[in-house]
Amino acid sequence: MTTELRQTDQGRPLPDDRLKHVLYLLRLCRYFDERMEALYRQGRLPGAIYSGRGQEGTHVGVASALEPDDSLFPTHRDLSAQLTKGLDLNRVMAQYWGRIDGYLRGRDGNSHVGDWFGHRTFAVISHLPIAYPVACGAALAYKRRGDKRVAMAICGDGSTSNGRWHEAINTSSIHRLPVVWVVNNNQYAYSTPNTLEFGVPTIAERAAAYGIPGVRVDGANVLEVYAAAKEAVDRARSDGGPTLIESVSLRWRGHAGHDPAKYMPRELLEDHMANKDPVKNFETWMLAEGIVTAGDVEEIQKRVEGEFEAGFEFAQSSPYPEPGDVTKGLWVEDGYWTSEPGRGGGTEAS
Amino acid sequence: MTTELRQTDQGRPLPDDRLKHVLYLLRLCRYFDERMEALYRQGRLPGAIYSGRGQEGTHVGVASALEPDDSLFPTHRDLSAQLTKGLDLNRVMAQYWGRIDGYLRGRDGNSHVGDWFGHRTFAVISHLPIAYPVACGAALAYKRRGDKRVAMAICGDGSTSNGRWHEAINTSSIHRLPVVWVVNNNQYAYSTPNTLEFGVPTIAERAAAYGIPGVRVDGANVLEVYAAAKEAVDRARSDGGPTLIESVSLRWRGHAGHDPAKYMPRELLEDHMANKDPVKNFETWMLAEGIVTAGDVEEIQKRVEGEFEAGFEFAQSSPYPEPGDVTKGLWVEDGYWTSEPGRGGGTEAS
Amino acid sequence: MAKAQVEAGAAGHGAEPRGKRTEAGEATYLIAIAEALWEEMERDERVYMLGEDIGAYGGAFKVTEGFIERFGDGRVMDTPIAEETIVGMAVGSAMEGMRPVAEFQYADFMSSGFDEITTVLARYHYRSGVPLPVVLRGPSGGGVRASSFHSINPEPWFAHAGGIKVICPAFPSDAKGLLKSAIRDDNPCMFLEHKWIYRRIKEIVPEEPDFLVPIGKADVKREGSDVSIITYGAMVHKALEAAENLAQRGMSAEVVDLRTVYPLDEDTVLRSIEKTSRALVLSESYRFLGIGAEVAATIAEKAFEHLDAPVERLSPPNIPVPFSPTLEDAFLPGVSDIEAAVERLSAW
Amino acid sequence: MAKAQVEAGAAGHGAEPRGKRTEAGEATYLIAIAEALWEEMERDERVYMLGEDIGAYGGAFKVTEGFIERFGDGRVMDTPIAEETIVGMAVGSAMEGMRPVAEFQYADFMSSGFDEITTVLARYHYRSGVPLPVVLRGPSGGGVRASSFHSINPEPWFAHAGGIKVICPAFPSDAKGLLKSAIRDDNPCMFLEHKWIYRRIKEIVPEEPDFLVPIGKADVKREGSDVSIITYGAMVHKALEAAENLAQRGMSAEVVDLRTVYPLDEDTVLRSIEKTSRALVLSESYRFLGIGAEVAATIAEKAFEHLDAPVERLSPPNIPVPFSPTLEDAFLPGVSDIEAAVERLSAW
Ligand SMILES: Cc1ncc(C[n+]2csc(CCOP(=O)(O)OP(=O)(O)O)c2C)c(N)n1
Ligand SMILES: Cc1ncc(C[n+]2csc(CCOP(=O)(O)OP(=O)(O)O)c2C)c(N)n1
Ligand SMILES: [Mg+2]
Ligand SMILES: [Mg+2]
């Protein structure tokens, strides 16, 4: 039941190649986020965007602690965690543009994505935090079967006010389920600040009410996040029960693309952007440690940009779903999801 | 944020006449509970019964701390608290027998009673703990209007696993609402013991997760319960925000009339009945303090029995509701609830 | 036509251990349900049960009595009072290949898990292709003096959710065969047991381990030629009683038991209307947007040319189920109401 | 017949402060709603609002922009993300004489407060006689590419709850007058705003402080003689467009706007059918047990003798609202679908 702000771990918690991968992921998520917002502002991206900028340390950090077989139950804000889990950028982008090659075959948009059969991520549902209880169920299955697997769920600070949050954590505690509860405390729920969401200083301390360990980490430090998540995942995997992790950062952008976030104090944002940038922080450390050179970083950035362009092209050239398929696949026996989907004619933009 | 087991307060926290009234209430609730069970077993009482036996210290104790204008939001188990608040036994019993003179005009039965316009008690709804959020709303009204009034809600230990419990307490904490949250921890939810309901030793300690005071009291000691409730009510009334009170007792009978409670360890029950009887405990103390004599007690008992007999007679002779009125009163404009109700012909038993 | 017998006594609340058939081999509806659960638990170890007080206690209605002794608490899981989480856990475990059967203590408390049921369970497969073989079961319906919060007919809400099959059997054999089908189905199923029927109706129930009744198929429980009574659940028994009385007076009512209310077996319904040309739609769910509304609208749309009279609906008004006997009796459609409606329709 | 104009642009998400009527005095549907709230807050200090981000932010759709500056955070209350508690608080404060108006960020999240809505709010007055003047409002409906969790039409669920009046206006004036009526009503009301309409439809809206539109009264938005189109919400605008197109081809469709879906104005509906003898029931809620089911069943039952053709229902299939434009367009009834249905019915 420790609740403490962890210090940056100055050692190397991961082999160099994995550290480089973390840097790649941070850069990828940041670039994706920026470019998608630009496209949204240009009116070239349909639907909504929910920026995870400033919170990449949290998302990349926690998801890096999972094995491929472990499952992840994210929200709208957590695309970076899904990308960390391994989702294919092409298919993610096809989803944003409503195309048949999206993971959900055009049936849902934006970050409401998931790839259960491949990377074991739950296709995001808006209602908050509705996947918390579902994560309990996956963890229950692992425990019952003796699988050494772990479920991880993420939600935001505001979601902790909801009854499902309490129910799921409480139930996981009673049955010591192998689950890791992550709260991405980005200090706001839409326009609502922490002070209007709960009456205690931290979320991590609430773990005591469930008799489980709670830890508060600095989301600006991906290694600190990773270390806490790894400990929690290991604990869960060795039948030590659930953990609550609060990772603190700031939502740098509005709630969604349309929100200018005028309610957020300018100084708070400026401080975070200047001093608590998880991408920059980690890059600086990597350079200082000599794990990467400036040239490596440039290369990573090039790779990221190339992947984004490729994803964009892929999405634009992927066809829309066949309108006649709209009613298919409600029932398993329709066979829609086990057969090739109809591809409905030409594309819009390319 | 104190969480402690309070010692019996050996002083006299109330004037003697109020102490005598407490004894009367304890005796009344006990007798009512026993007689209703007997009638149920004889097949003379329709519907269900939810015994509060062994928990009278909790119910009479907390409700005694309320002023007439304060509101009470109870559950199925808390009839003793409603009787303490002042409900008319005749009308309560008419409700059990489905008669028109019941508080709900025969539309609901058993302890699912309430008298909002008179004694400010919420008509119990089964779904647990569905009245917790409603109590927030009443408290909000008091606070907004500057009324020096308090709302009190009661639920059982098992109900604390439900999301609404968390939501309501959390919200009350954020807005410092004048509300007192009572948990009647009778150690079981139907057949489910505390260990399968939550993963912490006490419920009171969970108050810390909301930044509000939490206190655990001995339900076998009505004065200890009363003192804690009084402190909480006073705090709420003077804008000090909510309090969580866990009052520990044991459910002496099954969940409802049909349940023999075979899952409950015999020794646990015997210990409670022998040593933790809130009625006997208080009576002993009253006699020892010389506030009542054995003769007074006998008189109280006589009064209680007389009132029960009168209630029974009243209920039996009250007519059933008019069948033709069944659809009336869904909407306020029907006028059903502001006019005299139709009284549907003869009675059954008398 | 199914053979059934109405027991004299009231439902009561006493325990009745699983498998206690009568000497003649008859099983009550409750026993038939327990048998289906037991057999499927034996057949497939992925099947497990979760719910409140279903373990040592055996469930509020004692449907799961004896199960924890046989299958252990790993497969008979007592949960906290957290319906959203019961459903969510069922979903999550189903995603990982288990086949959960969740018991609601009363179907009334399904509203406490409504969001997980309608937002996650009902929509997840359509969106993502992940099968969710989840069964939600619970006692529904009125007529037992249990008032507003223990008498609900929630089937219209969930039938409107789109992605959940909703089953409301009236007879022990149908209950057994349909529950086994539901557990074997790869889609979410809601299985609504009617508590008025639990111990009242018994019949000889097949014992073959693969006895299945297909989901989505109605059954004509009594043939007739003058009027079709389309109904389900406890009302089937009222309809059969009314039909019997009407027969004495020379009127011939056909009784169609929907058995599954969603998806609806339109073919069987329409075939019956083609035969009789008159439809009485009888449902225990509230009139407004109750199951009867969908059935009546379907008949009006698809059997228009066959109708010799308006489609009449008979169902309770849109009010909470009241407690007092005078009120509940006025609330529920009764045998004489059914007879009167059939007579009205016949006279058209 | 109401005058309306379809704006060219999409709804977008940008802010638009309350009261910004056009120079000609026209108000959008969104502005009309904001005016109703503002005027009732001014008129009666018992009226207050609660919901997520309705204060400083002004609500997800900016309906309550400027309110907190005028009325303070005591009457414009930002709540945590706790829908059960939002409803419960509304109920409790109404019991103590306040008149809450709760905003749901999207009507989709009403399912997260379902139990308090249907178990407490809908039933409490019938059981106990305590009036609950509570308004729940939120943006509903599809057509804006917002996919499954931001496009719901929840009205069938709540219309089946029994004790809540469910209002679904299609025009700015109706929205304003009905919302004012709802706030003054002593019963629970659900006010479903259609987000497709918010900024698309504008018209001259009355400014009198006591301009009220009665709850439970439908309105004939276009007179016609061949076929009645019974509908509500965004579909009214589709129906009017179809009727206009049909008129060019010599067919006369009457468009009945229900405005309130529960209680249903049977009289107006039946009068229209008596006139045209043909009914197309058009609804944006899913077909199965959607609002159309109740309307069709009512017509079939009560206007049987007047019908020259089957009652036809047009509504989306029972599936989650899909995101992709090709899919959502196939999902929603379109103007040409309506025209085809009217032609089919006319040819009967
Ligand atoms: C049950 C529910 N109510 C309301 C919403 C609307 N909504 C979407 S995101 C959001 C704020 C979420 O805040 P938080 O949990 O802190 O997550 P963040 O967006 O900051 O990552 C709200 C209110 C929702 N999705 N679900
Ligand atoms: C939401 C909900 N789920 C299930 C039930 C069925 N139920 C009635 S009482 C009860 C046990 C309640 O236990 P607890 O909260 O400890 O109260 P107690 O009966 O012991 O006073 C249950 C599960 C209910 N009333 N509400
Ligand atoms: Mg947040
Ligand atoms: Mg208890």
Side-chain angles (χ1 to χ4, degrees):
Chain A
M1 256 161 292
T2 36
T3 301
E4 59 197 29
L5 190 64
R6 302 230 171 174
Q7 296 311 308
T8 306
D9 185 338
Q10 295 294 346
R12 294 193 188 173
L14 285 169
D16 287 1
D17 57 334
R18 287 213 45 205
L19 289 171
K20 279 186 209 161
H21 188 63
V22 167
L23 183 58
Y24 153 75
L25 287 167
L26 289 169
R27 281 282 198 163
L28 175 72
C29 295
R30 174 65 54 90
Y31 187 75
F32 178 86
D33 201 279
E34 289 172 345
R35 283 298 311 275
M36 292 296 268
E37 182 180 319
L39 289 166
Y40 176 88
R41 300 230 169 285
Q42 293 159 13
R44 294 169 65 197
L45 186 145
I49 51 166
Y50 304 98
S51 168
R53 218 175 308 163
Q55 301 138 77
E56 299 91 342
T58 299
H59 290 129
V60 175
V62 296
S64 293
L66 296 174
E67 298 298 322
D69 252 14
D70 295 336
S71 53
L72 179 72
F73 296 82
T75 76
H76 59 286
R77 185 80 58 214
D78 313 325
L79 184 67
S80 303
Q82 293 213 57
L83 293 174
T84 303
K85 199 73 172 64
L87 263 64
D88 176 4
L89 199 68
N90 288 354
R91 297 193 61 191
V92 168
M93 291 179 77
Q95 160 139 343
Y96 272 85
W97 272 272
R99 308 307 168 97
I100 194 66
D101 293 307
Y103 278 107
L104 305 186
R105 294 188 171 182
R107 289 176 173 200
D108 213 332
N110 62 63
S111 57
H112 288 72
V113 70
D115 175 27
W116 188 252
F117 296 118
H119 297 91
R120 229 66 199 167
T121 68
F122 181 80
V124 171
I125 291 180
S126 295
H127 300 52
L128 294 167
I130 208 160
Y132 256 56
V134 184
C136 267
L140 180 73
Y142 307 151
K143 174 139 183 160
R144 290 280 180 263
R145 287 197 301 243
D147 290 357
K148 289 275 166 233
R149 289 164 63 194
V150 173
M152 175 185 280
I154 315 179
C155 73
D157 40 285
S159 306
T160 65
S161 320
N162 193 278
R164 288 184 276 257
W165 189 81
H166 168 77
E167 286 191 3
I169 300 184
N170 184 54
T171 303
S172 76
S173 151
I174 297 167
H175 294 282
R176 291 180 71 78
L177 300 177
V179 58
V180 177
W181 303 116
V182 177
V183 177
N184 170 28
N185 185 354
N186 58 16
Q187 304 187 47
Y188 285 89
Y190 212 141
S191 72
T192 306
N194 280 188
T195 47
L196 286 175
E197 296 164 5
F198 42 83
V200 275
T202 74
I203 293 164
E205 68 195 71
R206 298 186 134 181
Y210 306 101
I212 65 171
V215 58
R216 187 168 207 243
V217 294
D218 180 359
N221 183 341
V222 68
L223 291 180
E224 183 183 329
V225 175
Y226 170 77
K230 186 73 171 67
E231 191 182 317
V233 166
D234 288 349
R235 182 183 300 122
R237 207 184 301 289
S238 55
D239 211 19
T243 303
L244 174 62
I245 298 174
E246 174 186 10
S247 180
V248 183
S249 61
L250 184 74
R251 205 191 63 211
W252 286 9
R253 312 298 297 157
H255 164 66
H258 65 272
D259 168 19
K262 289 187 198 142
Y263 45 79
M264 197 185 285
R266 213 185 163 74
E267 317 74 59
L268 181 67
L269 179 59
E270 281 168 359
D271 172 47
H272 268 263
M273 291 182 67
N275 307 311
K276 296 188 176 156
D277 180 337
V279 183
K280 209 167 59 185
N281 282 357
F282 185 65
E283 196 171 299
T284 306
W285 182 81
M286 288 284 278
L287 287 164
E289 292 280 311
I291 305 169
V292 289
T293 64
D296 292 339
V297 174
E298 210 168 292
E299 208 169 285
I300 287 173
Q301 183 62 19
K302 249 195 175 136
R303 176 179 162 202
V304 159
E305 292 179 13
E307 286 175 353
F308 185 88
E309 285 324 307
F312 182 79
E313 286 312 317
F314 178 86
Q316 306 315 307
S317 62
S318 171
Y320 285 103
E322 188 63 57
D325 286 350
V326 67
T327 55
K328 293 185 188 156
L330 180 65
W331 306 121
V332 172
E333 52 267 30
D334 297 352
Y336 176 72
W337 285 98
T338 45
S339 65
E340 271 303 301
R343 303 168 77 87
T347 61
E348 214 176 33
S350 74
Chain B
M1 255 165 290
T2 37
T3 301
E4 60 197 27
L5 191 65
R6 303 231 170 171
Q7 296 312 308
T8 306
D9 185 338
Q10 296 294 348
R12 294 191 189 174
L14 285 169
D16 287 1
D17 57 333
R18 287 212 48 204
L19 290 171
K20 278 185 210 164
H21 187 65
V22 167
L23 183 57
Y24 154 75
L25 287 167
L26 289 170
R27 281 281 197 162
L28 175 71
C29 296
R30 174 65 55 89
Y31 187 75
F32 178 86
D33 201 280
E34 290 172 344
R35 284 298 308 277
M36 293 296 267
E37 182 179 319
L39 290 166
Y40 176 87
R41 301 231 169 285
Q42 294 159 14
R44 293 170 65 196
L45 186 144
I49 51 166
Y50 304 99
S51 168
R53 217 175 308 164
Q55 301 138 76
E56 298 91 344
T58 300
H59 290 127
V60 174
V62 296
S64 293
L66 296 174
E67 298 298 322
D69 251 13
D70 296 336
S71 53
L72 178 71
F73 296 81
T75 76
H76 59 287
R77 184 80 58 214
D78 313 326
L79 184 67
S80 304
Q82 294 213 56
L83 293 175
T84 302
K85 198 73 171 65
L87 264 64
D88 176 5
L89 199 68
N90 289 354
R91 297 192 62 191
V92 169
M93 290 178 79
Q95 159 139 344
Y96 272 84
W97 273 271
R99 306 308 168 97
I100 195 65
D101 293 307
Y103 279 107
L104 305 186
R105 295 189 172 182
R107 289 178 173 200
D108 213 332
N110 62 63
S111 57
H112 289 70
V113 70
D115 175 28
W116 187 253
F117 296 117
H119 297 92
R120 230 67 199 162
T121 67
F122 181 80
V124 171
I125 291 179
S126 295
H127 300 52
L128 294 167
I130 208 158
Y132 256 56
V134 183
C136 267
L140 180 73
Y142 306 151
K143 176 145 183 154
R144 290 281 179 264
R145 286 197 302 242
D147 290 356
K148 290 273 166 235
R149 291 163 63 194
V150 174
M152 175 184 281
I154 317 180
C155 74
D157 41 285
S159 307
T160 65
S161 320
N162 194 280
R164 287 183 278 257
W165 188 81
H166 168 77
E167 286 190 4
I169 300 183
N170 184 55
T171 303
S172 77
S173 152
I174 297 167
H175 294 282
R176 291 180 72 80
L177 300 177
V179 58
V180 178
W181 303 115
V182 177
V183 176
N184 170 28
N185 184 354
N186 58 16
Q187 304 187 47
Y188 284 89
Y190 212 141
S191 73
T192 307
N194 279 190
T195 47
L196 286 175
E197 295 164 5
F198 42 84
V200 275
T202 75
I203 293 163
E205 69 193 72
R206 300 187 132 180
Y210 306 101
I212 65 170
V215 57
R216 188 168 205 243
V217 293
D218 181 358
N221 184 340
V222 68
L223 291 180
E224 184 184 329
V225 175
Y226 169 78
K230 185 74 172 64
E231 190 182 319
V233 166
D234 288 348
R235 181 184 299 122
R237 205 183 303 286
S238 55
D239 210 20
T243 304
L244 174 63
I245 298 174
E246 173 187 11
S247 180
V248 183
S249 61
L250 183 74
R251 204 190 66 211
W252 287 9
R253 312 299 296 158
H255 164 66
H258 65 274
D259 167 19
K262 290 190 196 138
Y263 45 81
M264 197 185 284
R266 211 186 164 75
E267 317 74 59
L268 180 67
L269 179 59
E270 280 169 0
D271 173 47
H272 268 263
M273 291 182 67
N275 306 312
K276 297 186 176 158
D277 181 337
V279 183
K280 209 167 60 187
N281 282 357
F282 185 66
E283 195 172 300
T284 307
W285 181 82
M286 288 284 278
L287 287 164
E289 291 280 313
I291 305 169
V292 290
T293 63
D296 293 339
V297 174
E298 213 168 292
E299 207 168 288
I300 287 173
Q301 183 61 18
K302 248 190 171 143
R303 175 178 164 204
V304 160
E305 292 179 15
E307 285 174 353
F308 186 88
E309 285 323 307
F312 183 80
E313 285 312 316
F314 178 85
Q316 306 315 307
S317 62
S318 169
Y320 284 103
E322 189 62 57
D325 285 350
V326 68
T327 56
K328 293 186 188 155
L330 181 64
W331 306 120
V332 172
E333 51 269 31
D334 297 352
Y336 176 73
W337 285 98
T338 45
S339 65
E340 270 303 300
R343 304 169 79 86
T347 59
E348 217 177 30
S350 70
Chain C
M1 183 192 142
K3 290 253 166 51
Q5 206 180 305
V6 178
E7 285 187 315
H13 277 105
E16 185 169 13
R18 180 215 158 257
K20 221 186 78 189
R21 292 186 172 215
T22 64
E23 264 173 42
E26 291 165 323
T28 60
Y29 182 84
L30 190 148
I31 297 294
I33 289 166
E35 285 183 3
L37 291 169
W38 191 279
E39 290 169 19
E40 295 306 301
M41 292 276 282
E42 290 281 7
R43 188 185 61 80
D44 183 346
E45 65 174 19
R46 297 170 304 174
V47 177
Y48 79 101
M49 307 194 303
L50 70 168
E52 293 155 15
D53 308 293
I54 64 169
Y57 189 69
F61 285 86
K62 299 295 181 185
V63 172
T64 61
E65 199 160 49
F67 279 68
I68 198 167
E69 288 80 1
R70 167 71 188 86
F71 300 103
D73 66 0
R75 293 182 66 201
V76 184
M77 180 186 185
D78 273 332
T79 64
I81 305 170
E83 280 77 9
E84 286 277 304
T85 296
I86 291 172
V87 179
M89 278 207 289
V91 168
S93 62
M95 291 179 71
E96 286 295 2
M98 295 177 76
R99 304 185 76 88
V101 181
E103 172 171 309
F104 286 78
Q105 203 150 79
Y106 281 83
D108 302 74
F109 306 128
M110 288 175 172
S111 57
S112 302
F114 190 84
D115 211 9
E116 293 278 346
I117 298 174
T118 60
T119 304
V120 187
L121 183 62
R123 306 193 213 172
Y124 202 70
H125 180 264
Y126 177 83
R127 284 174 71 240
S128 76
V130 180
L132 294 179
V134 171
V135 177
L136 309 178
R137 43 170 294 272
S140 66
V144 302
R145 312 304 187 214
S147 74
S148 179
F149 307 119
H150 293 77
S151 302
I152 209 166
N153 286 89
E155 55 272 12
W157 281 332
F158 299 108
H160 183 70
I164 303 172
K165 301 180 180 179
V166 183
I167 302 161
C168 301
F171 284 89
S173 298
D174 285 344
K176 182 171 181 183
L178 280 160
L179 182 50
K180 288 168 76 88
S181 293
I183 294 172
R184 297 183 190 192
D185 201 296
D186 281 335
N187 302 285
C189 293
M190 178 170 284
F191 188 82
L192 292 168
E193 304 163 12
H194 200 296
K195 69 178 81 66
W196 181 89
I197 307 177
Y198 266 151
R199 296 184 171 87
R200 269 194 188 75
I201 307 294
K202 55 172 177 276
E203 65 180 348
I204 304 283
V205 172
E207 303 207 40
E208 307 82 71
D210 286 326
F211 165 69
L212 300 176
V213 172
I215 296 169
K217 291 272 166 266
D219 189 37
V220 178
K221 288 289 193 268
R222 181 187 175 113
E223 304 262 1
S225 51
D226 296 338
V227 173
S228 299
I229 307 177
I230 319 291
T231 187
Y232 65 93
M235 288 294 141
V236 173
H237 300 287
K238 301 268 164 102
L240 289 171
E241 199 181 326
E244 189 59 40
N245 295 344
L246 287 160
Q248 318 270 315
R249 303 205 289 280
M251 254 166 295
S252 168
E254 172 148 318
V255 178
V256 179
D257 176 1
L258 293 172
R259 301 197 294 195
T260 301
V261 299
Y262 178 76
L264 198 64
D265 180 358
E266 295 190 355
D267 289 349
T268 303
V269 171
L270 297 176
R271 251 200 323 273
S272 180
I273 307 304
E274 280 168 31
K275 190 164 92 174
T276 64
S277 302
R278 287 172 165 84
L280 173 64
V281 181
L282 170 67
S283 156
E284 195 181 317
S285 55
Y286 297 160
R287 176 183 168 90
F288 197 93
L289 282 174
I291 297 298
E294 179 61 38
V295 175
T298 301
I299 294 171
E301 202 162 359
K302 302 194 173 164
F304 179 69
E305 295 151 283
H306 298 284
L307 285 174
D308 286 345
V311 183
E312 182 164 337
R313 273 187 286 168
L314 188 57
S315 22
N318 318 320
I319 54 167
V321 185
F323 172 67
S324 193
T326 54
L327 298 178
E328 193 180 28
D329 290 345
F331 172 84
L332 286 173
V335 173
S336 59
D337 299 319
I338 301 168
E339 291 174 35
V342 169
E343 283 170 347
R344 259 195 313 277
L345 284 170
S346 302
W348 246 84
Chain D
M1 186 191 142
K3 291 253 166 53
Q5 205 178 304
V6 178
E7 286 187 312
H13 277 105
E16 186 168 11
R18 180 215 159 258
K20 222 185 75 186
R21 290 186 175 218
T22 64
E23 266 175 39
E26 290 166 322
T28 61
Y29 183 83
L30 190 148
I31 297 295
I33 289 166
E35 285 183 2
L37 290 169
W38 191 281
E39 291 170 18
E40 294 307 301
M41 292 275 284
E42 290 282 8
R43 187 184 61 80
D44 183 347
E45 65 173 19
R46 297 169 304 171
V47 177
Y48 80 102
M49 307 195 302
L50 70 169
E52 294 154 16
D53 308 293
I54 64 169
Y57 190 69
F61 285 86
K62 299 293 181 187
V63 173
T64 61
E65 202 162 47
F67 279 68
I68 197 167
E69 288 80 0
R70 167 72 188 85
F71 300 103
D73 65 1
R75 292 182 66 200
V76 184
M77 180 188 185
D78 273 331
T79 64
I81 306 171
E83 280 76 7
E84 286 276 305
T85 295
I86 292 172
V87 180
M89 278 205 291
V91 169
S93 62
M95 290 179 70
E96 285 295 3
M98 296 178 74
R99 305 185 76 88
V101 181
E103 172 172 308
F104 286 78
Q105 203 150 79
Y106 282 83
D108 302 74
F109 306 127
M110 288 175 172
S111 57
S112 302
F114 190 84
D115 211 9
E116 293 278 346
I117 298 174
T118 60
T119 304
V120 187
L121 182 62
R123 305 192 214 173
Y124 202 70
H125 181 263
Y126 177 83
R127 283 175 72 240
S128 75
V130 180
L132 294 179
V134 171
V135 177
L136 308 180
R137 44 170 292 272
S140 66
V144 302
R145 313 301 186 214
S147 75
S148 180
F149 308 119
H150 294 78
S151 302
I152 209 167
N153 286 89
E155 55 274 11
W157 282 331
F158 298 108
H160 183 68
I164 303 172
K165 301 181 180 179
V166 182
I167 302 161
C168 302
F171 283 89
S173 298
D174 285 343
K176 180 170 182 182
L178 280 161
L179 181 50
K180 288 169 76 88
S181 293
I183 294 172
R184 298 184 190 192
D185 201 296
D186 281 335
N187 301 286
C189 292
M190 178 170 283
F191 188 83
L192 292 168
E193 303 163 15
H194 199 297
K195 69 179 81 64
W196 181 88
I197 307 177
Y198 267 150
R199 295 184 172 87
R200 268 193 188 77
I201 307 294
K202 56 172 176 277
E203 65 180 349
I204 304 284
V205 172
E207 305 208 38
E208 305 82 70
D210 286 326
F211 166 69
L212 301 175
V213 172
I215 296 169
K217 291 272 166 266
D219 188 38
V220 178
K221 288 288 193 269
R222 180 186 176 112
E223 303 263 358
S225 51
D226 296 339
V227 173
S228 299
I229 307 178
I230 318 292
T231 187
Y232 67 94
M235 288 294 142
V236 173
H237 301 286
K238 302 268 163 102
L240 288 171
E241 197 181 327
E244 190 59 42
N245 295 343
L246 288 160
Q248 318 272 312
R249 303 205 290 280
M251 254 165 296
S252 167
E254 172 147 318
V255 178
V256 179
D257 177 1
L258 292 172
R259 301 196 294 194
T260 302
V261 299
Y262 178 74
L264 197 64
D265 181 359
E266 294 191 356
D267 289 349
T268 302
V269 171
L270 297 176
R271 252 199 322 272
S272 180
I273 306 305
E274 279 167 33
K275 187 163 91 174
T276 64
S277 302
R278 287 172 167 84
L280 173 64
V281 181
L282 170 66
S283 156
E284 195 181 317
S285 55
Y286 297 161
R287 175 183 168 87
F288 197 93
L289 281 175
I291 297 299
E294 180 61 37
V295 176
T298 300
I299 294 171
E301 203 162 358
K302 302 196 173 164
F304 179 69
E305 293 151 285
H306 298 283
L307 285 174
D308 286 345
V311 184
E312 183 164 336
R313 273 187 286 168
L314 189 58
S315 22
N318 318 320
I319 54 167
V321 184
F323 172 67
S324 193
T326 54
L327 298 179
E328 193 180 28
D329 290 345
F331 172 85
L332 285 173
V335 173
S336 60
D337 300 319
I338 300 168
E339 291 174 35
V342 168
E343 282 169 348
R344 258 195 315 277
L345 283 170
S346 303
W348 245 82

